[in-house]
Amino acid sequence: MAILKILQYPDKRLHKVARKVEQVKEATRELVCDMAETMYAAPGVGLAATQVDVHEQIIVLDISEAHNQLRVFINPEVIASSGEEEGEEGCLSVPGIYENVRRAEKVTVRALNEKGDSFTLEADGFLAVCIQHEIDHLRGKVFVEHLSQLKQIRIRAKLKKRLRETL
Ligand code: GNR
Ligand code: NI
């Protein structure tokens, strides 16, 4: 087990598109363990492999308060979505920034679990938001890219300034 370094926006590597996992093997399960440990330590409710500079389609999620309902999505695909909803989002790669994002209200996702078995999940509410946020990461998209250009410029400036000040 290990805590991995989370890439911080703006970092070009956050825009890489993750490739599919060909076969779920022991190395994949080890990465899933490290990602879960990293997510819980942060703390966050989700983490995409892209955020730890691994460009494979792997997501861990746990929106439970007790941190005992880990969900793993490998090669996730949204196969159906409906409705629209706006909610405030944050991101471990964009610390301290919280903005409203409009997304589908309900999504049906198909993915593989850590054993390599296929499953389908229908999600709504906060779980649906998180799944869409994490799948975006795998496609190289950070939540701020849903915002206006002006907001994105302001956020980048703010984070760069903060980065300078912490050096
Ligand atoms: O910890 C997280 N909280 C969160 C809150 C609202 C919408 C999405 C999220 S995901 C985020 C963790 C993260 O950055 N995952 O990529
Ligand atoms: Ni994020």
Side-chain angles (χ1 to χ4, degrees):
M1 296 270 276
I3 292 186
L4 309 169
K5 205 179 130 225
I6 299 175
L7 297 177
Q8 300 295 301
Y9 180 87
D11 185 312
K12 284 193 181 70
R13 293 170 289 180
L14 285 169
H15 303 306
K16 287 196 188 182
V17 176
R19 62 190 169 271
K20 275 210 155 77
V21 174
E22 293 283 345
Q23 211 185 357
V24 179
K25 290 187 286 196
E26 202 45 43
T28 312
R29 283 185 280 276
E30 273 166 31
L31 175 62
V32 163
C33 269
D34 289 346
M35 284 174 60
E37 195 182 4
T38 304
M39 172 185 75
Y40 288 129
V45 297
L47 191 70
T50 307
Q51 291 176 278
V52 294
D53 202 22
V54 176
H55 303 282
E56 293 182 42
Q57 296 179 19
I58 303 169
I59 290 167
V60 293
L61 257 177
D62 189 345
I63 62 168
S64 73
E65 269 179 32
H67 288 181
N68 59 0
Q69 282 171 48
L70 182 69
R71 297 170 193 268
V72 178
F73 301 82
I74 298 169
N75 301 343
E77 274 181 285
V78 173
I79 55 173
S81 65
S82 63
E84 241 187 56
E85 209 165 33
E86 195 174 77
E88 191 172 81
E89 297 193 18
C91 181
L92 294 173
S93 294
V94 197
I97 306 288
Y98 302 90
E99 295 282 349
N100 279 336
V101 177
R102 184 168 291 281
R103 296 195 185 270
E105 183 189 357
K106 272 186 166 189
V107 290
T108 306
V109 190
R110 186 168 56 210
L112 305 177
N113 64 18
E114 67 283 356
K115 292 174 201 148
D117 301 325
S118 176
F119 68 95
T120 304
L121 174 74
E122 242 186 82
D124 58 13
F126 188 54
L127 182 59
V129 170
C130 291
I131 289 171
Q132 293 173 82
H133 175 113
E134 302 309 340
I135 290 178
D136 268 358
H137 275 303
L138 299 181
R139 310 280 183 261
K141 188 164 178 175
V142 179
F143 85 100
V144 299
E145 282 147 38
H146 286 278
L147 309 174
S148 70
Q149 282 302 326
L150 181 59
K151 275 195 175 168
Q152 290 185 45
I153 289 165
R154 285 181 177 158
I155 290 167
R156 279 199 292 272
K158 193 168 171 180
L159 291 176
K160 281 183 181 166
K161 179 166 181 276
R162 199 188 296 154
L163 212 59
R164 278 199 305 275
E165 285 167 356
T166 53
L167 282 179

